[in-house]
Short mmCIF file of all heavy atoms in Angstrom, two decimals:
data_model
loop_
_atom_site.label_atom_id
_atom_site.label_comp_id
_atom_site.label_asym_id
_atom_site.label_seq_id
_atom_site.Cartn_x
_atom_site.Cartn_y
_atom_site.Cartn_z
N ASP A 644 -171.09 65.18 42.20
CA ASP A 644 -171.28 65.93 43.44
C ASP A 644 -169.95 66.45 43.97
O ASP A 644 -169.84 67.60 44.39
CB ASP A 644 -171.95 65.03 44.49
CG ASP A 644 -173.34 64.60 44.05
OD1 ASP A 644 -173.92 65.31 43.21
OD2 ASP A 644 -173.81 63.56 44.53
N ALA A 645 -168.93 65.60 43.98
CA ALA A 645 -167.64 66.02 44.51
C ALA A 645 -167.02 67.10 43.65
O ALA A 645 -166.44 68.06 44.16
CB ALA A 645 -166.71 64.82 44.61
N SER A 646 -167.15 66.97 42.32
CA SER A 646 -166.58 67.99 41.44
C SER A 646 -167.29 69.33 41.64
O SER A 646 -166.66 70.38 41.68
CB SER A 646 -166.70 67.54 39.98
OG SER A 646 -165.99 66.36 39.77
N SER A 647 -168.63 69.28 41.79
CA SER A 647 -169.38 70.50 42.03
C SER A 647 -168.98 71.14 43.34
O SER A 647 -168.82 72.37 43.43
CB SER A 647 -170.88 70.19 42.02
OG SER A 647 -171.62 71.34 42.33
N LEU A 648 -168.80 70.32 44.37
CA LEU A 648 -168.42 70.84 45.67
C LEU A 648 -167.04 71.49 45.61
O LEU A 648 -166.82 72.56 46.18
CB LEU A 648 -168.42 69.71 46.71
CG LEU A 648 -168.10 70.12 48.15
CD1 LEU A 648 -169.10 71.16 48.64
CD2 LEU A 648 -168.11 68.90 49.05
N ARG A 649 -166.09 70.86 44.89
CA ARG A 649 -164.76 71.45 44.77
C ARG A 649 -164.81 72.79 44.05
O ARG A 649 -164.14 73.74 44.43
CB ARG A 649 -163.82 70.50 44.02
CG ARG A 649 -163.36 69.31 44.84
CD ARG A 649 -162.13 68.68 44.21
NE ARG A 649 -162.37 68.26 42.84
CZ ARG A 649 -162.87 67.07 42.51
NH1 ARG A 649 -163.18 66.20 43.44
NH2 ARG A 649 -163.04 66.75 41.24
N ARG A 650 -165.64 72.88 43.00
CA ARG A 650 -165.76 74.15 42.28
C ARG A 650 -166.34 75.24 43.16
O ARG A 650 -165.89 76.39 43.13
CB ARG A 650 -166.62 73.96 41.03
CG ARG A 650 -165.95 73.19 39.91
CD ARG A 650 -166.71 73.32 38.63
NE ARG A 650 -168.05 72.78 38.74
CZ ARG A 650 -168.36 71.52 38.43
NH1 ARG A 650 -167.41 70.68 38.02
NH2 ARG A 650 -169.59 71.09 38.54
N GLN A 651 -167.35 74.90 43.97
CA GLN A 651 -167.98 75.89 44.83
C GLN A 651 -167.04 76.37 45.91
O GLN A 651 -166.96 77.56 46.21
CB GLN A 651 -169.26 75.30 45.45
CG GLN A 651 -170.36 75.06 44.41
CD GLN A 651 -171.50 74.23 44.97
OE1 GLN A 651 -171.43 73.79 46.11
NE2 GLN A 651 -172.52 74.01 44.17
N VAL A 652 -166.32 75.44 46.51
CA VAL A 652 -165.35 75.83 47.53
C VAL A 652 -164.27 76.70 46.92
O VAL A 652 -163.80 77.67 47.53
CB VAL A 652 -164.75 74.58 48.21
CG1 VAL A 652 -163.63 74.97 49.14
CG2 VAL A 652 -165.82 73.82 48.98
N SER A 653 -163.87 76.38 45.70
CA SER A 653 -162.86 77.19 45.03
C SER A 653 -163.36 78.60 44.79
O SER A 653 -162.63 79.58 44.95
CB SER A 653 -162.47 76.54 43.70
OG SER A 653 -161.59 77.36 42.99
N MET A 654 -164.66 78.74 44.44
CA MET A 654 -165.24 80.06 44.23
C MET A 654 -165.29 80.85 45.53
O MET A 654 -165.04 82.06 45.56
CB MET A 654 -166.65 79.92 43.64
CG MET A 654 -166.67 79.41 42.21
SD MET A 654 -168.34 79.13 41.63
CE MET A 654 -168.99 80.80 41.75
N LEU A 655 -165.59 80.16 46.63
CA LEU A 655 -165.63 80.85 47.92
C LEU A 655 -164.29 81.47 48.26
O LEU A 655 -164.20 82.53 48.85
CB LEU A 655 -166.04 79.87 49.03
CG LEU A 655 -167.52 79.47 49.07
CD1 LEU A 655 -167.73 78.42 50.13
CD2 LEU A 655 -168.39 80.67 49.33
N ALA A 656 -163.24 80.80 47.91
CA ALA A 656 -161.91 81.29 48.25
C ALA A 656 -161.32 82.16 47.15
O ALA A 656 -160.12 82.43 47.16
CB ALA A 656 -160.99 80.10 48.51
N GLY A 657 -162.15 82.58 46.20
CA GLY A 657 -161.63 83.45 45.15
C GLY A 657 -160.62 82.76 44.25
O GLY A 657 -159.70 83.39 43.74
N GLY A 658 -160.79 81.44 44.04
CA GLY A 658 -159.86 80.71 43.19
C GLY A 658 -158.59 80.27 43.88
O GLY A 658 -157.68 79.78 43.23
N MET A 659 -158.54 80.41 45.20
CA MET A 659 -157.30 80.10 45.91
C MET A 659 -156.96 78.62 45.81
O MET A 659 -155.81 78.25 45.64
CB MET A 659 -157.45 80.48 47.38
CG MET A 659 -156.21 80.19 48.23
SD MET A 659 -156.47 80.57 49.96
CE MET A 659 -157.68 79.29 50.40
N PHE A 660 -158.00 77.76 45.89
CA PHE A 660 -157.74 76.33 45.87
C PHE A 660 -157.27 75.86 44.50
O PHE A 660 -156.40 75.01 44.38
CB PHE A 660 -158.98 75.56 46.30
CG PHE A 660 -159.36 75.81 47.73
CD1 PHE A 660 -160.42 76.63 48.05
CD2 PHE A 660 -158.63 75.24 48.76
CE1 PHE A 660 -160.76 76.88 49.37
CE2 PHE A 660 -158.96 75.48 50.08
CZ PHE A 660 -160.03 76.31 50.40
N GLU A 661 -157.85 76.41 43.42
CA GLU A 661 -157.39 76.06 42.08
C GLU A 661 -155.95 76.51 41.87
O GLU A 661 -155.15 75.81 41.27
CB GLU A 661 -158.31 76.70 41.02
CG GLU A 661 -159.66 76.04 40.89
CD GLU A 661 -159.54 74.62 40.39
OE1 GLU A 661 -158.58 74.31 39.67
OE2 GLU A 661 -160.40 73.79 40.75
N GLU A 662 -155.64 77.70 42.38
CA GLU A 662 -154.28 78.19 42.26
C GLU A 662 -153.30 77.30 43.02
O GLU A 662 -152.22 76.99 42.52
CB GLU A 662 -154.20 79.62 42.79
CG GLU A 662 -152.83 80.26 42.66
CD GLU A 662 -152.81 81.68 43.18
OE1 GLU A 662 -153.90 82.18 43.56
OE2 GLU A 662 -151.74 82.28 43.21
N LYS A 663 -153.73 76.85 44.20
CA LYS A 663 -152.87 75.97 44.98
C LYS A 663 -152.69 74.63 44.27
O LYS A 663 -151.61 74.03 44.30
CB LYS A 663 -153.48 75.74 46.36
CG LYS A 663 -152.62 74.88 47.27
CD LYS A 663 -153.24 74.74 48.64
CE LYS A 663 -152.36 73.85 49.52
NZ LYS A 663 -152.94 73.68 50.87
N LYS A 664 -153.74 74.17 43.60
CA LYS A 664 -153.65 72.90 42.88
C LYS A 664 -152.63 72.99 41.75
O LYS A 664 -151.84 72.08 41.53
CB LYS A 664 -155.04 72.55 42.32
CG LYS A 664 -155.12 71.18 41.68
CD LYS A 664 -156.55 70.92 41.25
CE LYS A 664 -156.68 69.55 40.63
NZ LYS A 664 -158.06 69.28 40.20
N GLU A 665 -152.65 74.12 41.01
CA GLU A 665 -151.67 74.31 39.94
C GLU A 665 -150.25 74.38 40.50
O GLU A 665 -149.32 73.80 39.94
CB GLU A 665 -152.00 75.58 39.16
CG GLU A 665 -153.28 75.52 38.35
CD GLU A 665 -153.21 74.47 37.27
OE1 GLU A 665 -152.10 74.21 36.77
OE2 GLU A 665 -154.26 73.90 36.93
N LYS A 666 -150.09 75.09 41.61
CA LYS A 666 -148.76 75.18 42.21
C LYS A 666 -148.29 73.81 42.68
O LYS A 666 -147.11 73.46 42.56
CB LYS A 666 -148.79 76.15 43.39
CG LYS A 666 -148.94 77.61 42.98
CD LYS A 666 -148.90 78.51 44.20
CE LYS A 666 -149.01 79.98 43.78
NZ LYS A 666 -149.00 80.88 44.95
N THR A 667 -149.22 73.02 43.23
CA THR A 667 -148.86 71.69 43.69
C THR A 667 -148.40 70.81 42.54
O THR A 667 -147.42 70.06 42.65
CB THR A 667 -150.05 71.03 44.39
OG1 THR A 667 -150.47 71.86 45.46
CG2 THR A 667 -149.69 69.66 44.93
N ARG A 668 -149.08 70.92 41.40
CA ARG A 668 -148.69 70.13 40.23
C ARG A 668 -147.30 70.55 39.75
O ARG A 668 -146.48 69.72 39.38
CB ARG A 668 -149.72 70.29 39.12
CG ARG A 668 -149.49 69.38 37.94
CD ARG A 668 -150.52 69.56 36.86
NE ARG A 668 -151.85 69.19 37.32
CZ ARG A 668 -152.82 70.07 37.58
NH1 ARG A 668 -152.61 71.36 37.43
NH2 ARG A 668 -154.00 69.67 37.98
N GLU A 669 -147.06 71.87 39.75
CA GLU A 669 -145.74 72.35 39.33
C GLU A 669 -144.65 71.86 40.28
O GLU A 669 -143.57 71.47 39.85
CB GLU A 669 -145.75 73.87 39.28
CG GLU A 669 -146.64 74.44 38.17
CD GLU A 669 -146.68 75.95 38.20
OE1 GLU A 669 -145.99 76.53 39.06
OE2 GLU A 669 -147.39 76.55 37.37
N GLN A 670 -144.96 71.88 41.58
CA GLN A 670 -143.99 71.40 42.56
C GLN A 670 -143.69 69.93 42.35
O GLN A 670 -142.55 69.47 42.51
CB GLN A 670 -144.50 71.65 43.98
CG GLN A 670 -144.57 73.12 44.36
CD GLN A 670 -145.22 73.31 45.71
OE1 GLN A 670 -145.63 72.35 46.37
NE2 GLN A 670 -145.34 74.56 46.14
N PHE A 671 -144.72 69.17 41.98
CA PHE A 671 -144.53 67.74 41.76
C PHE A 671 -143.60 67.48 40.58
O PHE A 671 -142.68 66.66 40.65
CB PHE A 671 -145.88 67.07 41.54
CG PHE A 671 -145.80 65.61 41.20
CD1 PHE A 671 -145.25 64.72 42.10
CD2 PHE A 671 -146.26 65.14 39.99
CE1 PHE A 671 -145.17 63.38 41.80
CE2 PHE A 671 -146.18 63.79 39.68
CZ PHE A 671 -145.63 62.92 40.59
N VAL A 672 -143.85 68.21 39.46
CA VAL A 672 -142.99 68.05 38.29
C VAL A 672 -141.56 68.48 38.61
O VAL A 672 -140.59 67.84 38.19
CB VAL A 672 -143.56 68.84 37.09
CG1 VAL A 672 -142.60 68.79 35.92
CG2 VAL A 672 -144.91 68.29 36.69
N GLN A 673 -141.44 69.57 39.36
CA GLN A 673 -140.10 70.03 39.73
C GLN A 673 -139.39 69.01 40.61
O GLN A 673 -138.19 68.79 40.47
CB GLN A 673 -140.19 71.38 40.44
CG GLN A 673 -140.62 72.51 39.53
CD GLN A 673 -140.79 73.81 40.28
OE1 GLN A 673 -140.58 73.86 41.49
NE2 GLN A 673 -141.18 74.86 39.57
N ARG A 674 -140.15 68.40 41.52
CA ARG A 674 -139.52 67.41 42.39
C ARG A 674 -139.08 66.18 41.61
O ARG A 674 -138.07 65.55 41.91
CB ARG A 674 -140.50 66.99 43.50
CG ARG A 674 -139.82 66.16 44.59
CD ARG A 674 -140.71 66.02 45.77
NE ARG A 674 -141.76 65.05 45.54
CZ ARG A 674 -142.67 64.72 46.48
NH1 ARG A 674 -142.64 65.31 47.65
NH2 ARG A 674 -143.60 63.84 46.21
N LEU A 675 -139.84 65.86 40.55
CA LEU A 675 -139.45 64.72 39.72
C LEU A 675 -138.21 65.03 38.90
O LEU A 675 -137.52 64.11 38.44
CB LEU A 675 -140.61 64.35 38.77
CG LEU A 675 -141.82 63.69 39.41
CD1 LEU A 675 -142.90 63.50 38.35
CD2 LEU A 675 -141.46 62.36 40.03
N SER A 676 -137.94 66.29 38.70
CA SER A 676 -136.84 66.66 37.80
C SER A 676 -135.72 67.37 38.54
O SER A 676 -135.10 68.27 38.00
CB SER A 676 -137.39 67.55 36.68
OG SER A 676 -138.04 68.67 37.22
N GLN A 677 -135.48 67.01 39.77
CA GLN A 677 -134.35 67.56 40.50
C GLN A 677 -133.09 66.79 40.10
O GLN A 677 -132.70 65.82 40.73
CB GLN A 677 -134.60 67.45 42.02
CG GLN A 677 -135.74 68.32 42.52
CD GLN A 677 -135.47 69.79 42.28
OE1 GLN A 677 -134.36 70.26 42.43
NE2 GLN A 677 -136.51 70.53 41.90
N PHE A 678 -132.48 67.24 39.00
CA PHE A 678 -131.37 66.49 38.43
C PHE A 678 -130.01 66.91 39.01
O PHE A 678 -129.02 66.25 38.78
CB PHE A 678 -131.35 66.66 36.92
CG PHE A 678 -132.64 66.24 36.28
CD1 PHE A 678 -133.50 67.18 35.76
CD2 PHE A 678 -133.01 64.91 36.25
CE1 PHE A 678 -134.69 66.80 35.18
CE2 PHE A 678 -134.20 64.53 35.68
CZ PHE A 678 -135.04 65.46 35.15
N SER A 679 -129.99 68.04 39.70
CA SER A 679 -128.73 68.48 40.28
C SER A 679 -128.55 67.85 41.65
O SER A 679 -129.49 67.35 42.24
CB SER A 679 -128.72 70.00 40.39
OG SER A 679 -129.80 70.44 41.19
N GLY A 680 -127.35 67.93 42.17
CA GLY A 680 -127.09 67.38 43.49
C GLY A 680 -126.59 65.95 43.40
O GLY A 680 -126.21 65.45 42.34
N PRO A 681 -126.58 65.27 44.52
CA PRO A 681 -126.04 63.91 44.55
C PRO A 681 -126.89 62.95 43.71
O PRO A 681 -128.09 63.13 43.57
CB PRO A 681 -126.10 63.54 46.04
CG PRO A 681 -127.16 64.43 46.60
CD PRO A 681 -127.08 65.70 45.82
N SER A 682 -126.28 61.96 43.16
CA SER A 682 -126.98 60.99 42.32
C SER A 682 -126.45 59.60 42.62
O SER A 682 -125.34 59.43 43.11
CB SER A 682 -126.80 61.31 40.83
OG SER A 682 -125.43 61.25 40.49
N ASP A 683 -127.29 58.63 42.31
CA ASP A 683 -126.91 57.23 42.47
C ASP A 683 -126.61 56.68 41.08
O ASP A 683 -127.53 56.35 40.32
CB ASP A 683 -128.04 56.46 43.15
CG ASP A 683 -127.60 55.06 43.59
OD1 ASP A 683 -126.70 54.51 42.93
OD2 ASP A 683 -128.15 54.55 44.57
N ARG A 684 -125.34 56.60 40.76
CA ARG A 684 -124.94 56.19 39.42
C ARG A 684 -125.42 54.78 39.10
O ARG A 684 -125.81 54.50 37.97
CB ARG A 684 -123.41 56.28 39.30
CG ARG A 684 -122.87 56.01 37.92
CD ARG A 684 -123.33 57.05 36.93
NE ARG A 684 -122.77 56.84 35.61
CZ ARG A 684 -123.16 57.49 34.52
NH1 ARG A 684 -124.12 58.39 34.61
NH2 ARG A 684 -122.60 57.25 33.35
N ARG A 685 -125.40 53.93 40.07
CA ARG A 685 -125.80 52.54 39.83
C ARG A 685 -127.28 52.47 39.46
O ARG A 685 -127.67 51.75 38.53
CB ARG A 685 -125.53 51.70 41.07
CG ARG A 685 -125.87 50.22 40.90
CD ARG A 685 -125.52 49.44 42.16
NE ARG A 685 -126.22 49.98 43.32
CZ ARG A 685 -127.49 49.65 43.63
NH1 ARG A 685 -128.16 48.81 42.86
NH2 ARG A 685 -128.05 50.16 44.70
N LYS A 686 -128.13 53.23 40.16
CA LYS A 686 -129.56 53.24 39.84
C LYS A 686 -129.82 53.82 38.46
O LYS A 686 -130.67 53.32 37.71
CB LYS A 686 -130.32 54.04 40.90
CG LYS A 686 -130.43 53.37 42.26
CD LYS A 686 -131.27 54.21 43.19
CE LYS A 686 -131.40 53.55 44.56
NZ LYS A 686 -132.21 54.37 45.49
N GLU A 687 -129.09 54.86 38.11
CA GLU A 687 -129.27 55.47 36.79
C GLU A 687 -128.88 54.50 35.68
O GLU A 687 -129.58 54.39 34.66
CB GLU A 687 -128.44 56.74 36.69
CG GLU A 687 -128.92 57.86 37.60
CD GLU A 687 -128.05 59.09 37.48
OE1 GLU A 687 -127.16 59.09 36.60
OE2 GLU A 687 -128.26 60.05 38.25
N ILE A 688 -127.79 53.77 35.88
CA ILE A 688 -127.35 52.80 34.87
C ILE A 688 -128.34 51.66 34.75
O ILE A 688 -128.68 51.22 33.64
CB ILE A 688 -125.94 52.27 35.22
CG1 ILE A 688 -124.91 53.40 35.11
CG2 ILE A 688 -125.56 51.11 34.31
CD1 ILE A 688 -123.53 53.00 35.56
N ASN A 689 -128.85 51.18 35.87
CA ASN A 689 -129.83 50.08 35.84
C ASN A 689 -131.12 50.51 35.14
O ASN A 689 -131.70 49.74 34.37
CB ASN A 689 -130.13 49.60 37.25
CG ASN A 689 -128.95 48.88 37.88
OD1 ASN A 689 -128.07 48.37 37.18
ND2 ASN A 689 -128.92 48.81 39.21
N LEU A 690 -131.56 51.74 35.43
CA LEU A 690 -132.78 52.24 34.78
C LEU A 690 -132.55 52.38 33.28
O LEU A 690 -133.42 52.00 32.47
CB LEU A 690 -133.18 53.58 35.39
CG LEU A 690 -134.40 54.25 34.74
CD1 LEU A 690 -135.63 53.37 34.84
CD2 LEU A 690 -134.67 55.61 35.39
N ASN A 691 -131.41 52.90 32.88
CA ASN A 691 -131.12 53.06 31.46
C ASN A 691 -131.08 51.71 30.75
O ASN A 691 -131.60 51.57 29.64
CB ASN A 691 -129.78 53.79 31.29
CG ASN A 691 -129.55 54.23 29.86
OD1 ASN A 691 -129.09 53.47 29.02
ND2 ASN A 691 -129.88 55.49 29.58
N LYS A 692 -130.52 50.73 31.41
CA LYS A 692 -130.45 49.39 30.83
C LYS A 692 -131.85 48.80 30.67
O LYS A 692 -132.16 48.18 29.64
CB LYS A 692 -129.59 48.48 31.72
CG LYS A 692 -129.41 47.08 31.17
CD LYS A 692 -128.52 46.25 32.10
CE LYS A 692 -128.35 44.83 31.56
NZ LYS A 692 -127.51 44.01 32.45
N THR A 693 -132.70 49.00 31.67
CA THR A 693 -134.07 48.49 31.59
C THR A 693 -134.84 49.16 30.46
O THR A 693 -135.62 48.50 29.75
CB THR A 693 -134.79 48.73 32.93
OG1 THR A 693 -134.02 48.15 33.99
CG2 THR A 693 -136.17 48.11 32.92
N ILE A 694 -134.63 50.46 30.29
CA ILE A 694 -135.32 51.18 29.22
C ILE A 694 -134.87 50.68 27.85
O ILE A 694 -135.69 50.44 26.96
CB ILE A 694 -135.05 52.70 29.35
CG1 ILE A 694 -135.75 53.25 30.59
CG2 ILE A 694 -135.52 53.44 28.11
CD1 ILE A 694 -135.40 54.70 30.89
N VAL A 695 -133.57 50.50 27.68
CA VAL A 695 -133.04 50.06 26.39
C VAL A 695 -133.48 48.64 26.06
O VAL A 695 -133.74 48.31 24.89
CB VAL A 695 -131.51 50.18 26.38
CG1 VAL A 695 -130.92 49.57 25.13
CG2 VAL A 695 -131.09 51.64 26.51
N GLU A 696 -133.60 47.79 27.07
CA GLU A 696 -133.96 46.39 26.84
C GLU A 696 -135.45 46.19 26.59
O GLU A 696 -135.86 45.11 26.15
CB GLU A 696 -133.52 45.55 28.03
CG GLU A 696 -132.00 45.40 28.15
CD GLU A 696 -131.60 44.60 29.37
OE1 GLU A 696 -132.48 44.33 30.22
OE2 GLU A 696 -130.41 44.25 29.49
N ALA A 697 -136.27 47.18 26.88
CA ALA A 697 -137.72 47.06 26.62
C ALA A 697 -137.97 46.90 25.12
O ALA A 697 -137.37 47.61 24.30
CB ALA A 697 -138.45 48.28 27.17
N GLN A 698 -138.86 46.01 24.77
CA GLN A 698 -139.07 45.64 23.38
C GLN A 698 -140.16 46.44 22.68
O GLN A 698 -140.19 46.49 21.45
CB GLN A 698 -139.40 44.15 23.28
CG GLN A 698 -138.29 43.24 23.78
CD GLN A 698 -137.00 43.42 22.99
OE1 GLN A 698 -137.02 43.44 21.76
NE2 GLN A 698 -135.88 43.55 23.69
N THR A 699 -141.04 47.05 23.43
CA THR A 699 -142.15 47.80 22.83
C THR A 699 -142.25 49.18 23.47
O THR A 699 -141.69 49.43 24.55
CB THR A 699 -143.49 47.07 23.01
OG1 THR A 699 -143.80 46.99 24.42
CG2 THR A 699 -143.43 45.67 22.42
#
Side-chain angles (χ1 to χ4, degrees):
D644 297 337
S646 299
S647 176
L648 183 59
R649 286 198 302 273
R650 287 193 298 268
Q651 292 168 357
V652 173
S653 175
M654 291 175 61
L655 285 175
M659 180 183 68
F660 294 104
E661 286 295 331
E662 183 179 355
K663 183 178 179 180
K664 186 176 181 180
E665 292 296 330
K666 289 182 178 179
T667 303
R668 187 180 296 107
E669 292 177 1
Q670 291 174 0
F671 176 62
V672 174
Q673 291 176 0
R674 190 168 77 178
L675 288 175
S676 56
Q677 293 298 321
F678 303 109
S679 59
S682 62
D683 191 331
R684 185 64 177 170
R685 182 178 58 83
K686 288 184 179 179
E687 293 179 6
I688 294 175
N689 290 338
L690 177 60
N691 192 276
K692 183 179 179 181
T693 305
I694 291 173
V695 173
E696 290 178 350
Q698 298 299 314
T699 64

